[in-house]
mmCIF file of all heavy atoms in Angstrom:
data_model
loop_
_atom_site.group_PDB
_atom_site.id
_atom_site.type_symbol
_atom_site.label_atom_id
_atom_site.label_comp_id
_atom_site.label_asym_id
_atom_site.label_seq_id
_atom_site.Cartn_x
_atom_site.Cartn_y
_atom_site.Cartn_z
ATOM 1 N N PHE N 21 2.623 7.453 -14.055
ATOM 2 C CA PHE N 21 3.154 6.991 -12.767
ATOM 3 C C PHE N 21 3.299 5.455 -12.783
ATOM 4 O O PHE N 21 4.369 4.914 -12.355
ATOM 5 C CB PHE N 21 2.180 7.405 -11.655
ATOM 6 C CG PHE N 21 2.423 6.886 -10.336
ATOM 7 C CD1 PHE N 21 3.362 7.514 -9.478
ATOM 8 C CD2 PHE N 21 1.732 5.761 -9.895
ATOM 9 C CE1 PHE N 21 3.564 6.991 -8.239
ATOM 10 C CE2 PHE N 21 1.989 5.272 -8.605
ATOM 11 C CZ PHE N 21 2.912 5.869 -7.745
ATOM 12 N N GLU N 22 2.235 4.750 -13.208
ATOM 13 C CA GLU N 22 2.291 3.274 -13.285
ATOM 14 C C GLU N 22 3.506 2.812 -14.149
ATOM 15 O O GLU N 22 4.154 1.855 -13.805
ATOM 16 C CB GLU N 22 0.955 2.750 -13.804
ATOM 17 C CG GLU N 22 -0.085 2.741 -12.770
ATOM 18 C CD GLU N 22 0.227 1.907 -11.517
ATOM 19 O OE1 GLU N 22 0.871 0.832 -11.666
ATOM 20 O OE2 GLU N 22 -0.060 2.417 -10.422
ATOM 21 N N ARG N 23 3.654 3.462 -15.282
ATOM 22 C CA ARG N 23 4.742 3.140 -16.202
ATOM 23 C C ARG N 23 6.065 3.275 -15.488
ATOM 24 O O ARG N 23 6.964 2.460 -15.636
ATOM 25 C CB ARG N 23 4.682 4.086 -17.428
ATOM 26 C CG ARG N 23 5.567 3.655 -18.544
ATOM 27 C CD ARG N 23 5.214 4.486 -19.799
ATOM 28 N NE ARG N 23 6.434 4.907 -20.386
ATOM 29 C CZ ARG N 23 6.987 6.099 -20.383
ATOM 30 N NH1 ARG N 23 6.368 7.098 -19.782
ATOM 31 N NH2 ARG N 23 8.088 6.348 -20.972
ATOM 32 N N GLN N 24 6.245 4.291 -14.717
ATOM 33 C CA GLN N 24 7.481 4.588 -14.006
ATOM 34 C C GLN N 24 7.744 3.571 -12.891
ATOM 35 O O GLN N 24 8.824 3.020 -12.801
ATOM 36 C CB GLN N 24 7.489 6.008 -13.424
ATOM 37 C CG GLN N 24 8.782 6.415 -12.840
ATOM 38 C CD GLN N 24 8.796 7.908 -12.515
ATOM 39 O OE1 GLN N 24 8.221 8.691 -13.132
ATOM 40 N NE2 GLN N 24 9.623 8.219 -11.484
ATOM 41 N N VAL N 25 6.738 3.309 -12.032
ATOM 42 C CA VAL N 25 6.993 2.435 -10.888
ATOM 43 C C VAL N 25 7.125 0.969 -11.261
ATOM 44 O O VAL N 25 7.704 0.186 -10.552
ATOM 45 C CB VAL N 25 5.959 2.594 -9.776
ATOM 46 C CG1 VAL N 25 5.952 3.977 -9.171
ATOM 47 C CG2 VAL N 25 4.578 2.220 -10.214
ATOM 48 N N ARG N 26 6.690 0.644 -12.448
ATOM 49 C CA ARG N 26 6.896 -0.776 -12.945
ATOM 50 C C ARG N 26 8.342 -1.095 -13.070
ATOM 51 O O ARG N 26 8.772 -2.246 -13.050
ATOM 52 C CB ARG N 26 6.221 -0.976 -14.325
ATOM 53 C CG ARG N 26 4.838 -1.642 -14.154
ATOM 54 C CD ARG N 26 4.285 -1.944 -15.541
ATOM 55 N NE ARG N 26 3.165 -1.094 -15.785
ATOM 56 C CZ ARG N 26 2.946 -0.322 -16.875
ATOM 57 N NH1 ARG N 26 3.814 -0.372 -17.839
ATOM 58 N NH2 ARG N 26 1.878 0.385 -16.978
ATOM 59 N N ARG N 27 9.173 -0.054 -13.274
ATOM 60 C CA ARG N 27 10.594 -0.295 -13.425
ATOM 61 C C ARG N 27 11.347 -0.349 -12.120
ATOM 62 O O ARG N 27 12.584 -0.711 -12.064
ATOM 63 C CB ARG N 27 11.254 0.843 -14.280
ATOM 64 C CG ARG N 27 10.757 0.832 -15.690
ATOM 65 C CD ARG N 27 11.441 1.853 -16.542
ATOM 66 N NE ARG N 27 10.508 2.931 -16.852
ATOM 67 C CZ ARG N 27 10.794 4.196 -17.040
ATOM 68 N NH1 ARG N 27 12.069 4.600 -16.953
ATOM 69 N NH2 ARG N 27 9.874 5.076 -17.319
ATOM 70 N N TRP N 28 10.722 -0.060 -11.017
ATOM 71 C CA TRP N 28 11.345 -0.054 -9.696
ATOM 72 C C TRP N 28 11.441 -1.505 -9.170
ATOM 73 O O TRP N 28 10.585 -2.332 -9.461
ATOM 74 C CB TRP N 28 10.526 0.792 -8.689
ATOM 75 C CG TRP N 28 10.527 2.279 -9.011
ATOM 76 C CD1 TRP N 28 11.176 2.895 -10.069
ATOM 77 C CD2 TRP N 28 9.802 3.228 -8.332
ATOM 78 N NE1 TRP N 28 10.898 4.210 -10.032
ATOM 79 C CE2 TRP N 28 10.055 4.442 -9.000
ATOM 80 C CE3 TRP N 28 9.005 3.222 -7.199
ATOM 81 C CZ2 TRP N 28 9.506 5.674 -8.546
ATOM 82 C CZ3 TRP N 28 8.391 4.415 -6.822
ATOM 83 C CH2 TRP N 28 8.671 5.607 -7.424
ATOM 84 N N PRO N 29 12.515 -1.776 -8.377
ATOM 85 C CA PRO N 29 12.609 -3.151 -7.823
ATOM 86 C C PRO N 29 11.478 -3.509 -6.841
ATOM 87 O O PRO N 29 11.178 -4.653 -6.698
ATOM 88 C CB PRO N 29 13.990 -3.124 -7.074
ATOM 89 C CG PRO N 29 14.340 -1.658 -6.974
ATOM 90 C CD PRO N 29 13.621 -0.883 -7.998
ATOM 91 N N GLU N 30 10.958 -2.497 -6.175
ATOM 92 C CA GLU N 30 9.813 -2.747 -5.241
ATOM 93 C C GLU N 30 8.924 -1.562 -5.268
ATOM 94 O O GLU N 30 9.398 -0.422 -5.305
ATOM 95 C CB GLU N 30 10.358 -2.985 -3.847
ATOM 96 C CG GLU N 30 9.242 -3.178 -2.863
ATOM 97 C CD GLU N 30 9.738 -3.443 -1.375
ATOM 98 O OE1 GLU N 30 10.753 -2.750 -0.998
ATOM 99 O OE2 GLU N 30 9.159 -4.176 -0.687
ATOM 100 N N ARG N 31 7.655 -1.815 -5.223
ATOM 101 C CA ARG N 31 6.668 -0.752 -5.065
ATOM 102 C C ARG N 31 6.471 -0.435 -3.621
ATOM 103 O O ARG N 31 6.215 -1.294 -2.800
ATOM 104 C CB ARG N 31 5.289 -1.161 -5.687
ATOM 105 C CG ARG N 31 5.381 -1.351 -7.222
ATOM 106 C CD ARG N 31 4.038 -1.735 -7.737
ATOM 107 N NE ARG N 31 3.105 -0.704 -7.541
ATOM 108 C CZ ARG N 31 2.309 -0.238 -8.473
ATOM 109 N NH1 ARG N 31 2.283 -0.745 -9.671
ATOM 110 N NH2 ARG N 31 1.455 0.712 -8.222
ATOM 111 N N PRO N 32 6.680 0.868 -3.231
ATOM 112 C CA PRO N 32 6.541 1.255 -1.801
ATOM 113 C C PRO N 32 5.215 0.790 -1.174
ATOM 114 O O PRO N 32 5.239 0.416 0.039
ATOM 115 C CB PRO N 32 6.721 2.711 -1.855
ATOM 116 C CG PRO N 32 7.479 3.010 -3.023
ATOM 117 C CD PRO N 32 7.016 2.007 -4.051
ATOM 118 N N VAL N 33 4.180 0.815 -1.949
ATOM 119 C CA VAL N 33 2.840 0.391 -1.348
ATOM 120 C C VAL N 33 2.882 -1.026 -0.868
ATOM 121 O O VAL N 33 2.245 -1.347 0.175
ATOM 122 C CB VAL N 33 1.679 0.625 -2.331
ATOM 123 C CG1 VAL N 33 1.737 -0.334 -3.514
ATOM 124 C CG2 VAL N 33 0.373 0.633 -1.648
ATOM 125 N N GLN N 34 3.675 -1.885 -1.471
ATOM 126 C CA GLN N 34 3.765 -3.246 -1.053
ATOM 127 C C GLN N 34 4.462 -3.358 0.350
ATOM 128 O O GLN N 34 4.138 -4.246 1.142
ATOM 129 C CB GLN N 34 4.521 -4.124 -2.078
ATOM 130 C CG GLN N 34 3.713 -4.255 -3.395
ATOM 131 C CD GLN N 34 2.298 -4.693 -3.210
ATOM 132 O OE1 GLN N 34 1.971 -5.489 -2.306
ATOM 133 N NE2 GLN N 34 1.404 -4.161 -3.984
ATOM 134 N N ARG N 35 5.403 -2.506 0.592
ATOM 135 C CA ARG N 35 6.046 -2.489 1.911
ATOM 136 C C ARG N 35 5.032 -2.061 2.935
ATOM 137 O O ARG N 35 5.058 -2.620 4.066
ATOM 138 C CB ARG N 35 7.259 -1.497 1.845
ATOM 139 C CG ARG N 35 8.066 -1.573 3.134
ATOM 140 C CD ARG N 35 9.305 -0.789 2.974
ATOM 141 N NE ARG N 35 10.283 -1.482 2.195
ATOM 142 C CZ ARG N 35 11.587 -1.261 2.212
ATOM 143 N NH1 ARG N 35 12.031 -0.268 2.965
ATOM 144 N NH2 ARG N 35 12.415 -1.996 1.500
ATOM 145 N N ILE N 36 4.164 -1.091 2.633
ATOM 146 C CA ILE N 36 3.166 -0.626 3.597
ATOM 147 C C ILE N 36 2.161 -1.739 3.814
ATOM 148 O O ILE N 36 1.674 -1.930 4.960
ATOM 149 C CB ILE N 36 2.577 0.686 3.099
ATOM 150 C CG1 ILE N 36 3.598 1.807 3.100
ATOM 151 C CG2 ILE N 36 1.304 1.074 3.970
ATOM 152 C CD1 ILE N 36 3.169 3.102 2.406
ATOM 153 N N VAL N 37 1.818 -2.408 2.742
ATOM 154 C CA VAL N 37 0.862 -3.569 2.878
ATOM 155 C C VAL N 37 1.472 -4.622 3.823
ATOM 156 O O VAL N 37 0.718 -5.099 4.749
ATOM 157 C CB VAL N 37 0.551 -4.195 1.463
ATOM 158 C CG1 VAL N 37 -0.107 -5.582 1.632
ATOM 159 C CG2 VAL N 37 -0.298 -3.259 0.608
ATOM 160 N N ARG N 38 2.722 -4.947 3.617
ATOM 161 C CA ARG N 38 3.348 -5.933 4.527
ATOM 162 C C ARG N 38 3.301 -5.500 5.978
ATOM 163 O O ARG N 38 3.003 -6.305 6.889
ATOM 164 C CB ARG N 38 4.775 -6.246 4.059
ATOM 165 C CG ARG N 38 4.858 -7.156 2.848
ATOM 166 C CD ARG N 38 6.250 -7.713 2.634
ATOM 167 N NE ARG N 38 7.291 -6.719 2.554
ATOM 168 C CZ ARG N 38 7.669 -6.062 1.461
ATOM 169 N NH1 ARG N 38 7.053 -6.282 0.309
ATOM 170 N NH2 ARG N 38 8.647 -5.185 1.493
ATOM 171 N N TYR N 39 3.556 -4.212 6.194
ATOM 172 C CA TYR N 39 3.555 -3.667 7.576
ATOM 173 C C TYR N 39 2.160 -3.833 8.160
ATOM 174 O O TYR N 39 2.006 -4.305 9.290
ATOM 175 C CB TYR N 39 3.956 -2.174 7.536
ATOM 176 C CG TYR N 39 3.723 -1.455 8.841
ATOM 177 C CD1 TYR N 39 4.565 -1.546 9.967
ATOM 178 C CD2 TYR N 39 2.512 -0.743 9.035
ATOM 179 C CE1 TYR N 39 4.308 -0.965 11.186
ATOM 180 C CE2 TYR N 39 2.259 -0.084 10.240
ATOM 181 C CZ TYR N 39 3.120 -0.212 11.275
ATOM 182 O OH TYR N 39 2.893 0.403 12.462
ATOM 183 N N LEU N 40 1.125 -3.393 7.400
ATOM 184 C CA LEU N 40 -0.250 -3.476 7.913
ATOM 185 C C LEU N 40 -0.696 -4.926 8.168
ATOM 186 O O LEU N 40 -1.476 -5.202 9.100
ATOM 187 C CB LEU N 40 -1.191 -2.740 7.010
ATOM 188 C CG LEU N 40 -1.092 -1.178 7.085
ATOM 189 C CD1 LEU N 40 -1.944 -0.550 5.977
ATOM 190 C CD2 LEU N 40 -1.527 -0.682 8.425
ATOM 191 N N ARG N 41 -0.298 -5.832 7.315
ATOM 192 C CA ARG N 41 -0.712 -7.225 7.428
ATOM 193 C C ARG N 41 -0.105 -7.865 8.733
ATOM 194 O O ARG N 41 -0.625 -8.854 9.268
ATOM 195 C CB ARG N 41 -0.273 -8.057 6.278
ATOM 196 C CG ARG N 41 -1.191 -7.782 5.070
ATOM 197 C CD ARG N 41 -0.743 -8.631 3.889
ATOM 198 N NE ARG N 41 -1.639 -8.439 2.770
ATOM 199 C CZ ARG N 41 -1.384 -8.844 1.514
ATOM 200 N NH1 ARG N 41 -0.240 -9.453 1.264
ATOM 201 N NH2 ARG N 41 -2.232 -8.604 0.522
ATOM 202 N N ARG N 42 0.987 -7.295 9.255
ATOM 203 C CA ARG N 42 1.578 -7.757 10.482
ATOM 204 C C ARG N 42 0.951 -7.079 11.714
ATOM 205 O O ARG N 42 1.237 -7.436 12.862
ATOM 206 C CB ARG N 42 3.114 -7.486 10.516
ATOM 207 C CG ARG N 42 3.868 -8.360 9.573
ATOM 208 C CD ARG N 42 5.349 -8.267 9.742
ATOM 209 N NE ARG N 42 5.866 -6.925 9.854
ATOM 210 C CZ ARG N 42 6.428 -6.277 8.860
ATOM 211 N NH1 ARG N 42 6.495 -6.780 7.628
ATOM 212 N NH2 ARG N 42 6.867 -5.085 9.012
ATOM 213 N N ARG N 43 0.080 -6.130 11.544
ATOM 214 C CA ARG N 43 -0.599 -5.371 12.597
ATOM 215 C C ARG N 43 -2.038 -5.834 12.698
ATOM 216 O O ARG N 43 -2.578 -6.473 11.757
ATOM 217 C CB ARG N 43 -0.481 -3.892 12.306
ATOM 218 C CG ARG N 43 0.916 -3.368 11.975
ATOM 219 C CD ARG N 43 1.737 -3.125 13.154
ATOM 220 N NE ARG N 43 1.136 -2.066 13.917
ATOM 221 C CZ ARG N 43 1.247 -1.964 15.224
ATOM 222 N NH1 ARG N 43 1.938 -2.826 15.965
ATOM 223 N NH2 ARG N 43 0.602 -1.014 15.901
ATOM 224 N N PRO N 44 -2.720 -5.494 13.783
ATOM 225 C CA PRO N 44 -4.141 -5.859 13.907
ATOM 226 C C PRO N 44 -5.017 -5.251 12.760
ATOM 227 O O PRO N 44 -4.829 -4.110 12.409
ATOM 228 C CB PRO N 44 -4.592 -5.241 15.247
ATOM 229 C CG PRO N 44 -3.259 -5.050 15.992
ATOM 230 C CD PRO N 44 -2.251 -4.775 15.018
ATOM 231 N N ALA N 45 -5.896 -6.060 12.261
ATOM 232 C CA ALA N 45 -6.792 -5.641 11.140
ATOM 233 C C ALA N 45 -7.774 -4.566 11.691
ATOM 234 O O ALA N 45 -8.454 -3.939 10.858
ATOM 235 C CB ALA N 45 -7.534 -6.794 10.573
ATOM 236 N N SER N 46 -7.833 -4.426 12.952
ATOM 237 C CA SER N 46 -8.784 -3.430 13.575
ATOM 238 C C SER N 46 -8.205 -1.966 13.427
ATOM 239 O O SER N 46 -9.017 -1.064 13.679
ATOM 240 C CB SER N 46 -8.991 -3.764 15.057
ATOM 241 O OG SER N 46 -7.785 -3.723 15.748
ATOM 242 N N LEU N 47 -6.993 -1.799 13.038
ATOM 243 C CA LEU N 47 -6.412 -0.502 12.890
ATOM 244 C C LEU N 47 -7.095 0.243 11.750
ATOM 245 O O LEU N 47 -7.258 -0.367 10.664
ATOM 246 C CB LEU N 47 -4.925 -0.496 12.614
ATOM 247 C CG LEU N 47 -4.044 -1.027 13.798
ATOM 248 C CD1 LEU N 47 -2.553 -1.059 13.303
ATOM 249 C CD2 LEU N 47 -4.214 -0.212 15.024
ATOM 250 N N VAL N 48 -7.555 1.447 11.924
ATOM 251 C CA VAL N 48 -8.200 2.225 10.839
ATOM 252 C C VAL N 48 -7.102 3.027 10.151
ATOM 253 O O VAL N 48 -6.281 3.663 10.776
ATOM 254 C CB VAL N 48 -9.270 3.177 11.418
ATOM 255 C CG1 VAL N 48 -9.904 3.999 10.330
ATOM 256 C CG2 VAL N 48 -10.303 2.351 12.155
ATOM 257 N N VAL N 49 -7.140 3.064 8.825
ATOM 258 C CA VAL N 49 -6.110 3.628 8.050
ATOM 259 C C VAL N 49 -6.671 4.811 7.155
ATOM 260 O O VAL N 49 -7.830 4.663 6.633
ATOM 261 C CB VAL N 49 -5.463 2.593 7.104
ATOM 262 C CG1 VAL N 49 -4.384 3.210 6.170
ATOM 263 C CG2 VAL N 49 -4.915 1.419 7.877
ATOM 264 N N ALA N 50 -5.921 5.887 6.994
ATOM 265 C CA ALA N 50 -6.275 6.911 6.055
ATOM 266 C C ALA N 50 -5.202 6.978 4.993
ATOM 267 O O ALA N 50 -4.052 7.124 5.345
ATOM 268 C CB ALA N 50 -6.413 8.305 6.729
ATOM 269 N N ASP N 51 -5.551 6.767 3.741
ATOM 270 C CA ASP N 51 -4.615 6.747 2.619
ATOM 271 C C ASP N 51 -4.721 8.082 1.852
ATOM 272 O O ASP N 51 -5.673 8.232 1.087
ATOM 273 C CB ASP N 51 -4.898 5.521 1.739
ATOM 274 C CG ASP N 51 -3.798 5.309 0.661
ATOM 275 O OD1 ASP N 51 -2.843 6.117 0.619
ATOM 276 O OD2 ASP N 51 -3.870 4.334 -0.041
ATOM 277 N N PHE N 52 -3.813 8.990 2.107
ATOM 278 C CA PHE N 52 -3.815 10.290 1.430
ATOM 279 C C PHE N 52 -3.110 10.178 0.127
ATOM 280 O O PHE N 52 -1.968 9.805 0.008
ATOM 281 C CB PHE N 52 -2.979 11.310 2.307
ATOM 282 C CG PHE N 52 -3.614 11.701 3.617
ATOM 283 C CD1 PHE N 52 -3.660 10.811 4.712
ATOM 284 C CD2 PHE N 52 -4.216 12.930 3.728
ATOM 285 C CE1 PHE N 52 -4.194 11.220 5.940
ATOM 286 C CE2 PHE N 52 -4.777 13.342 4.977
ATOM 287 C CZ PHE N 52 -4.766 12.477 6.083
ATOM 288 N N GLY N 53 -3.871 10.468 -0.959
ATOM 289 C CA GLY N 53 -3.340 10.262 -2.291
ATOM 290 C C GLY N 53 -3.332 8.834 -2.674
ATOM 291 O O GLY N 53 -2.324 8.305 -3.196
ATOM 292 N N CYS N 54 -4.421 8.159 -2.529
ATOM 293 C CA CYS N 54 -4.530 6.712 -2.665
ATOM 294 C C CYS N 54 -4.450 6.146 -4.081
ATOM 295 O O CYS N 54 -4.248 4.960 -4.301
ATOM 296 C CB CYS N 54 -5.863 6.231 -2.048
ATOM 297 S SG CYS N 54 -7.300 6.904 -2.950
ATOM 298 N N GLY N 55 -4.600 7.035 -5.123
ATOM 299 C CA GLY N 55 -4.559 6.515 -6.480
ATOM 300 C C GLY N 55 -5.678 5.502 -6.755
ATOM 301 O O GLY N 55 -6.851 5.874 -6.604
ATOM 302 N N ASP N 56 -5.287 4.317 -7.155
ATOM 303 C CA ASP N 56 -6.292 3.304 -7.455
ATOM 304 C C ASP N 56 -6.691 2.457 -6.291
ATOM 305 O O ASP N 56 -7.293 1.390 -6.473
ATOM 306 C CB ASP N 56 -5.790 2.431 -8.610
ATOM 307 C CG ASP N 56 -4.494 1.706 -8.312
ATOM 308 O OD1 ASP N 56 -4.015 1.746 -7.111
ATOM 309 O OD2 ASP N 56 -3.910 1.018 -9.192
ATOM 310 N N CYS N 57 -6.398 2.820 -5.130
ATOM 311 C CA CYS N 57 -6.781 2.147 -3.871
ATOM 312 C C CYS N 57 -6.136 0.741 -3.718
ATOM 313 O O CYS N 57 -6.711 -0.206 -3.132
ATOM 314 C CB CYS N 57 -8.333 1.971 -3.733
ATOM 315 S SG CYS N 57 -9.208 3.545 -3.718
ATOM 316 N N THR N 58 -4.897 0.625 -4.192
ATOM 317 C CA THR N 58 -4.180 -0.626 -4.049
ATOM 318 C C THR N 58 -4.031 -0.970 -2.524
ATOM 319 O O THR N 58 -4.254 -2.214 -2.191
ATOM 320 C CB THR N 58 -2.755 -0.492 -4.652
ATOM 321 O OG1 THR N 58 -2.878 -0.289 -6.095
ATOM 322 C CG2 THR N 58 -1.930 -1.751 -4.413
ATOM 323 N N LEU N 59 -3.770 -0.074 -1.685
ATOM 324 C CA LEU N 59 -3.604 -0.330 -0.255
ATOM 325 C C LEU N 59 -4.947 -0.928 0.281
ATOM 326 O O LEU N 59 -4.915 -2.002 0.903
ATOM 327 C CB LEU N 59 -3.179 0.878 0.464
ATOM 328 C CG LEU N 59 -2.933 0.696 1.986
ATOM 329 C CD1 LEU N 59 -1.850 -0.259 2.267
ATOM 330 C CD2 LEU N 59 -2.598 2.041 2.596
ATOM 331 N N ALA N 60 -6.019 -0.242 0.030
ATOM 332 C CA ALA N 60 -7.336 -0.684 0.522
ATOM 333 C C ALA N 60 -7.646 -2.097 0.025
ATOM 334 O O ALA N 60 -8.207 -2.910 0.775
ATOM 335 C CB ALA N 60 -8.381 0.284 0.178
ATOM 336 N N ALA N 61 -7.332 -2.415 -1.183
ATOM 337 C CA ALA N 61 -7.649 -3.703 -1.754
ATOM 338 C C ALA N 61 -6.750 -4.811 -1.253
ATOM 339 O O ALA N 61 -7.061 -5.957 -1.410
ATOM 340 C CB ALA N 61 -7.523 -3.647 -3.349
ATOM 341 N N SER N 62 -5.656 -4.410 -0.564
ATOM 342 C CA SER N 62 -4.616 -5.432 -0.198
ATOM 343 C C SER N 62 -4.600 -5.802 1.290
ATOM 344 O O SER N 62 -3.896 -6.646 1.722
ATOM 345 C CB SER N 62 -3.234 -4.898 -0.570
ATOM 346 O OG SER N 62 -3.168 -4.623 -1.955
ATOM 347 N N VAL N 63 -5.414 -5.059 2.074
ATOM 348 C CA VAL N 63 -5.407 -5.313 3.485
ATOM 349 C C VAL N 63 -6.825 -5.452 4.007
ATOM 350 O O VAL N 63 -7.785 -5.081 3.336
ATOM 351 C CB VAL N 63 -4.704 -4.149 4.299
ATOM 352 C CG1 VAL N 63 -3.221 -4.070 3.938
ATOM 353 C CG2 VAL N 63 -5.382 -2.837 4.107
ATOM 354 N N LYS N 64 -6.936 -6.034 5.192
ATOM 355 C CA LYS N 64 -8.317 -6.246 5.828
ATOM 356 C C LYS N 64 -8.756 -5.040 6.630
ATOM 357 O O LYS N 64 -9.948 -4.962 6.996
ATOM 358 C CB LYS N 64 -8.249 -7.474 6.740
ATOM 359 C CG LYS N 64 -8.062 -8.769 5.971
ATOM 360 C CD LYS N 64 -7.989 -9.936 6.871
ATOM 361 C CE LYS N 64 -7.810 -11.217 6.072
ATOM 362 N NZ LYS N 64 -7.527 -12.359 6.899
ATOM 363 N N ASN N 65 -7.887 -4.081 6.876
ATOM 364 C CA ASN N 65 -8.219 -2.907 7.680
ATOM 365 C C ASN N 65 -9.227 -2.055 6.962
ATOM 366 O O ASN N 65 -9.374 -2.131 5.707
ATOM 367 C CB ASN N 65 -6.951 -2.002 7.829
ATOM 368 C CG ASN N 65 -5.791 -2.798 8.395
ATOM 369 O OD1 ASN N 65 -5.265 -3.643 7.720
ATOM 370 N ND2 ASN N 65 -5.428 -2.507 9.619
ATOM 371 N N GLN N 66 -9.991 -1.277 7.743
ATOM 372 C CA GLN N 66 -10.821 -0.217 7.139
ATOM 373 C C GLN N 66 -9.870 0.825 6.645
ATOM 374 O O GLN N 66 -9.042 1.291 7.451
ATOM 375 C CB GLN N 66 -11.769 0.342 8.146
ATOM 376 C CG GLN N 66 -12.622 1.460 7.628
ATOM 377 C CD GLN N 66 -13.446 2.234 8.668
ATOM 378 O OE1 GLN N 66 -13.338 1.942 9.818
ATOM 379 N NE2 GLN N 66 -14.218 3.142 8.252
ATOM 380 N N VAL N 67 -9.960 1.157 5.351
ATOM 381 C CA VAL N 67 -9.066 2.187 4.773
ATOM 382 C C VAL N 67 -9.934 3.314 4.169
ATOM 383 O O VAL N 67 -10.741 3.065 3.285
ATOM 384 C CB VAL N 67 -8.104 1.597 3.692
ATOM 385 C CG1 VAL N 67 -7.228 2.695 3.098
ATOM 386 C CG2 VAL N 67 -7.283 0.461 4.294
ATOM 387 N N HIS N 68 -9.687 4.481 4.636
ATOM 388 C CA HIS N 68 -10.308 5.729 4.057
ATOM 389 C C HIS N 68 -9.469 6.138 2.901
ATOM 390 O O HIS N 68 -8.271 6.445 3.175
ATOM 391 C CB HIS N 68 -10.474 6.815 5.084
ATOM 392 C CG HIS N 68 -11.319 6.465 6.224
ATOM 393 N ND1 HIS N 68 -12.714 6.478 6.152
ATOM 394 C CD2 HIS N 68 -11.043 6.069 7.496
ATOM 395 C CE1 HIS N 68 -13.193 6.159 7.365
ATOM 396 N NE2 HIS N 68 -12.238 5.874 8.169
#
């Protein structure tokens, strides 16, 4: 998976990170199929 997405112009998780960074950090997030927890490591929100 990592090998494949490295070739993409943008990783979709980065778009989600940008969205959450523009929203209140108090929002609670559930990441279904989180993989290596990139989303949780990239935002201040509580991420399950």
Side-chain angles (χ1 to χ4, degrees):
F21 173 83
E22 283 301 321
R23 191 171 137 253
Q24 185 169 332
V25 296
R26 263 188 248 126
R27 293 186 249 149
W28 294 357
E30 179 181 36
R31 293 179 66 129
V33 71
Q34 293 309 324
R35 188 173 281 200
I36 294 168
V37 166
R38 284 195 305 273
Y39 168 82
L40 286 172
R41 285 180 177 168
R42 289 192 311 264
R43 309 279 297 149
S46 59
L47 295 178
V48 178
V49 179
D51 189 356
F52 290 75
C54 64
D56 62 4
C57 299
T58 297
L59 182 60
S62 304
V63 297
K64 293 179 180 170
N65 307 69
Q66 177 187 4
V67 179
H68 297 282

